[in-house]
PDB file of all heavy atoms in Angstrom:
ATOM      1  N   LEU A  38     -11.879   1.894   1.797  1.00 96.00           N
ATOM      2  CA  LEU A  38     -11.829   2.462   3.143  1.00 96.00           C
ATOM      3  C   LEU A  38     -10.364   2.419   3.550  1.00 96.00           C
ATOM      4  O   LEU A  38      -9.718   1.368   3.408  1.00 96.00           O
ATOM      5  CB  LEU A  38     -12.655   1.578   4.075  1.00 96.00           C
ATOM      6  CG  LEU A  38     -13.099   2.199   5.391  1.00 96.00           C
ATOM      7  CD1 LEU A  38     -14.154   3.262   5.125  1.00 96.00           C
ATOM      8  CD2 LEU A  38     -13.688   1.133   6.312  1.00 96.00           C
ATOM      9  N   ALA A 216     -22.086   9.699   2.990  1.00 91.00           N
ATOM     10  CA  ALA A 216     -22.452   9.597   4.412  1.00 91.00           C
ATOM     11  C   ALA A 216     -21.203   9.300   5.246  1.00 91.00           C
ATOM     12  O   ALA A 216     -20.248   8.704   4.739  1.00 91.00           O
ATOM     13  CB  ALA A 216     -23.465   8.479   4.593  1.00 91.00           C
ATOM     14  N   ILE A 217     -21.209   9.710   6.494  1.00 91.00           N
ATOM     15  CA  ILE A 217     -20.058   9.439   7.361  1.00 91.00           C
ATOM     16  C   ILE A 217     -20.044   7.944   7.699  1.00 91.00           C
ATOM     17  O   ILE A 217     -21.036   7.387   8.149  1.00 91.00           O
ATOM     18  CB  ILE A 217     -20.118  10.293   8.650  1.00 91.00           C
ATOM     19  CG1 ILE A 217     -19.950  11.774   8.265  1.00 91.00           C
ATOM     20  CG2 ILE A 217     -19.041   9.862   9.650  1.00 91.00           C
ATOM     21  CD1 ILE A 217     -20.051  12.747   9.415  1.00 91.00           C
ATOM     22  N   MET A 218     -18.903   7.292   7.427  1.00 93.00           N
ATOM     23  CA  MET A 218     -18.816   5.840   7.622  1.00 93.00           C
ATOM     24  C   MET A 218     -17.849   5.482   8.732  1.00 93.00           C
ATOM     25  O   MET A 218     -16.873   6.207   8.964  1.00 93.00           O
ATOM     26  CB  MET A 218     -18.348   5.178   6.329  1.00 93.00           C
ATOM     27  CG  MET A 218     -19.364   5.275   5.221  1.00 93.00           C
ATOM     28  SD  MET A 218     -18.845   4.330   3.791  1.00 93.00           S
ATOM     29  CE  MET A 218     -20.196   4.714   2.688  1.00 93.00           C
ATOM     30  N   LEU A 219     -18.103   4.356   9.370  1.00 91.00           N
ATOM     31  CA  LEU A 219     -17.167   3.850  10.383  1.00 91.00           C
ATOM     32  C   LEU A 219     -16.613   2.503   9.933  1.00 91.00           C
ATOM     33  O   LEU A 219     -15.456   2.390   9.574  1.00 91.00           O
ATOM     34  CB  LEU A 219     -17.853   3.733  11.751  1.00 91.00           C
ATOM     35  CG  LEU A 219     -18.399   5.045  12.333  1.00 91.00           C
ATOM     36  CD1 LEU A 219     -19.087   4.811  13.656  1.00 91.00           C
ATOM     37  CD2 LEU A 219     -17.285   6.067  12.516  1.00 91.00           C
ATOM     38  N   ASP A 220     -17.454   1.459   9.934  1.00 90.00           N
ATOM     39  CA  ASP A 220     -16.919   0.127   9.607  1.00 90.00           C
ATOM     40  C   ASP A 220     -17.082  -0.242   8.130  1.00 90.00           C
ATOM     41  O   ASP A 220     -16.363  -1.099   7.631  1.00 90.00           O
ATOM     42  CB  ASP A 220     -17.576  -0.942  10.492  1.00 90.00           C
ATOM     43  CG  ASP A 220     -19.079  -1.081  10.223  1.00 90.00           C
ATOM     44  OD1 ASP A 220     -19.638  -0.199   9.550  1.00 90.00           O
ATOM     45  OD2 ASP A 220     -19.664  -2.064  10.692  1.00 90.00           O
ATOM     46  N   ALA A 221     -18.047   0.360   7.442  1.00 92.00           N
ATOM     47  CA  ALA A 221     -18.344   0.061   6.031  1.00 92.00           C
ATOM     48  C   ALA A 221     -18.730  -1.392   5.788  1.00 92.00           C
ATOM     49  O   ALA A 221     -18.500  -1.929   4.713  1.00 92.00           O
ATOM     50  CB  ALA A 221     -17.191   0.487   5.112  1.00 92.00           C
ATOM     51  N   THR A 222     -19.313  -2.039   6.812  1.00 92.00           N
ATOM     52  CA  THR A 222     -19.778  -3.416   6.623  1.00 92.00           C
ATOM     53  C   THR A 222     -21.273  -3.547   6.879  1.00 92.00           C
ATOM     54  O   THR A 222     -21.810  -4.652   6.910  1.00 92.00           O
ATOM     55  CB  THR A 222     -19.054  -4.380   7.602  1.00 92.00           C
ATOM     56  OG1 THR A 222     -19.435  -4.008   8.938  1.00 92.00           O
ATOM     57  CG2 THR A 222     -17.555  -4.342   7.455  1.00 92.00           C
ATOM     58  N   GLY A 223     -21.958  -2.437   7.141  1.00 93.00           N
ATOM     59  CA  GLY A 223     -23.393  -2.499   7.414  1.00 93.00           C
ATOM     60  C   GLY A 223     -23.703  -2.845   8.866  1.00 93.00           C
ATOM     61  O   GLY A 223     -24.862  -3.095   9.210  1.00 93.00           O
ATOM     62  N   MET A 224     -22.694  -2.877   9.728  1.00 93.00           N
ATOM     63  CA  MET A 224     -22.908  -3.317  11.115  1.00 93.00           C
ATOM     64  C   MET A 224     -23.109  -2.143  12.089  1.00 93.00           C
ATOM     65  O   MET A 224     -23.856  -2.252  13.047  1.00 93.00           O
ATOM     66  CB  MET A 224     -21.698  -4.123  11.612  1.00 93.00           C
ATOM     67  CG  MET A 224     -21.344  -5.296  10.756  1.00 93.00           C
ATOM     68  SD  MET A 224     -22.397  -6.678  11.088  1.00 93.00           S
ATOM     69  CE  MET A 224     -21.641  -7.312  12.560  1.00 93.00           C
ATOM     70  N   CYS A 225     -22.402  -1.020  11.876  1.00 92.00           N
ATOM     71  CA  CYS A 225     -22.386   0.016  12.921  1.00 92.00           C
ATOM     72  C   CYS A 225     -23.561   0.994  12.806  1.00 92.00           C
ATOM     73  O   CYS A 225     -23.934   1.630  13.778  1.00 92.00           O
ATOM     74  CB  CYS A 225     -21.067   0.797  12.876  1.00 92.00           C
ATOM     75  SG  CYS A 225     -20.928   1.901  11.456  1.00 92.00           S
ATOM     76  N   GLY A 226     -24.133   1.129  11.627  1.00 92.00           N
ATOM     77  CA  GLY A 226     -25.257   2.044  11.440  1.00 92.00           C
ATOM     78  C   GLY A 226     -24.842   3.498  11.242  1.00 92.00           C
ATOM     79  O   GLY A 226     -25.685   4.371  11.095  1.00 92.00           O
ATOM     80  N   GLY A 227     -23.532   3.752  11.213  1.00 92.00           N
ATOM     81  CA  GLY A 227     -23.038   5.127  11.100  1.00 92.00           C
ATOM     82  C   GLY A 227     -23.501   5.836   9.837  1.00 92.00           C
ATOM     83  O   GLY A 227     -23.755   7.030   9.842  1.00 92.00           O
ATOM     84  N   CYS A 228     -23.619   5.099   8.749  1.00 95.00           N
ATOM     85  CA  CYS A 228     -23.926   5.730   7.452  1.00 95.00           C
ATOM     86  C   CYS A 228     -25.405   5.625   7.104  1.00 95.00           C
ATOM     87  O   CYS A 228     -25.768   5.703   5.929  1.00 95.00           O
ATOM     88  CB  CYS A 228     -23.092   5.075   6.366  1.00 95.00           C
ATOM     89  SG  CYS A 228     -23.548   3.354   6.104  1.00 95.00           S
ATOM     90  N   ARG A 229     -26.239   5.450   8.134  1.00 95.00           N
ATOM     91  CA  ARG A 229     -27.684   5.269   7.926  1.00 95.00           C
ATOM     92  C   ARG A 229     -28.304   6.469   7.206  1.00 95.00           C
ATOM     93  O   ARG A 229     -27.936   7.618   7.469  1.00 95.00           O
ATOM     94  CB  ARG A 229     -28.322   5.103   9.296  1.00 95.00           C
ATOM     95  CG  ARG A 229     -29.702   4.507   9.272  1.00 95.00           C
ATOM     96  CD  ARG A 229     -30.197   4.255  10.664  1.00 95.00           C
ATOM     97  NE  ARG A 229     -30.539   5.501  11.326  1.00 95.00           N
ATOM     98  CZ  ARG A 229     -30.160   5.818  12.558  1.00 95.00           C
ATOM     99  NH1 ARG A 229     -29.409   5.002  13.262  1.00 95.00           N
ATOM    100  NH2 ARG A 229     -30.520   6.962  13.092  1.00 95.00           N
ATOM    101  N   PHE A 238     -28.277   1.665   4.363  1.00 96.00           N
ATOM    102  CA  PHE A 238     -26.905   1.942   4.786  1.00 96.00           C
ATOM    103  C   PHE A 238     -26.085   2.268   3.545  1.00 96.00           C
ATOM    104  O   PHE A 238     -26.024   1.463   2.611  1.00 96.00           O
ATOM    105  CB  PHE A 238     -26.318   0.740   5.537  1.00 96.00           C
ATOM    106  CG  PHE A 238     -27.079   0.443   6.795  1.00 96.00           C
ATOM    107  CD1 PHE A 238     -27.845  -0.701   6.901  1.00 96.00           C
ATOM    108  CD2 PHE A 238     -27.062   1.339   7.852  1.00 96.00           C
ATOM    109  CE1 PHE A 238     -28.581  -0.952   8.047  1.00 96.00           C
ATOM    110  CE2 PHE A 238     -27.794   1.093   8.999  1.00 96.00           C
ATOM    111  CZ  PHE A 238     -28.555  -0.056   9.099  1.00 96.00           C
ATOM    112  N   CYS A 239     -25.461   3.441   3.583  1.00 96.00           N
ATOM    113  CA  CYS A 239     -24.739   3.907   2.400  1.00 96.00           C
ATOM    114  C   CYS A 239     -23.649   2.909   1.990  1.00 96.00           C
ATOM    115  O   CYS A 239     -23.432   2.667   0.812  1.00 96.00           O
ATOM    116  CB  CYS A 239     -24.129   5.289   2.695  1.00 96.00           C
ATOM    117  SG  CYS A 239     -23.399   6.067   1.269  1.00 96.00           S
ATOM    118  N   CYS A 240     -22.976   2.298   2.980  1.00 96.00           N
ATOM    119  CA  CYS A 240     -21.817   1.452   2.666  1.00 96.00           C
ATOM    120  C   CYS A 240     -22.199   0.165   1.940  1.00 96.00           C
ATOM    121  O   CYS A 240     -21.499  -0.250   1.024  1.00 96.00           O
ATOM    122  CB  CYS A 240     -21.008   1.149   3.919  1.00 96.00           C
ATOM    123  SG  CYS A 240     -21.913   0.252   5.189  1.00 96.00           S
ATOM    124  N   VAL A 241     -23.294  -0.479   2.351  1.00 96.00           N
ATOM    125  CA  VAL A 241     -23.628  -1.763   1.732  1.00 96.00           C
ATOM    126  C   VAL A 241     -24.792  -1.684   0.742  1.00 96.00           C
ATOM    127  O   VAL A 241     -24.894  -2.508  -0.155  1.00 96.00           O
ATOM    128  CB  VAL A 241     -23.907  -2.867   2.793  1.00 96.00           C
ATOM    129  CG1 VAL A 241     -22.634  -3.282   3.478  1.00 96.00           C
ATOM    130  CG2 VAL A 241     -24.959  -2.416   3.805  1.00 96.00           C
TER     131      VAL A 241
HETATM  132 FE1  FES B   2     -21.211   1.210   9.429  1.00 64.99          FE
HETATM  133 FE2  FES B   2     -22.216   1.732   7.021  1.00 64.99          FE
HETATM  134  S1  FES B   2     -20.412   2.498   7.897  1.00 64.99           S
HETATM  135  S2  FES B   2     -23.106   0.609   8.625  1.00 64.99           S
END
Side-chain angles (χ1 to χ4, degrees):
L38 199 70
I217 294 177
M218 292 186 182
L219 299 178
D220 65 347
T222 64
M224 304 280 280
C225 72
C228 66
R229 197 174 73 227
F238 298 111
C239 187
C240 61
V241 289

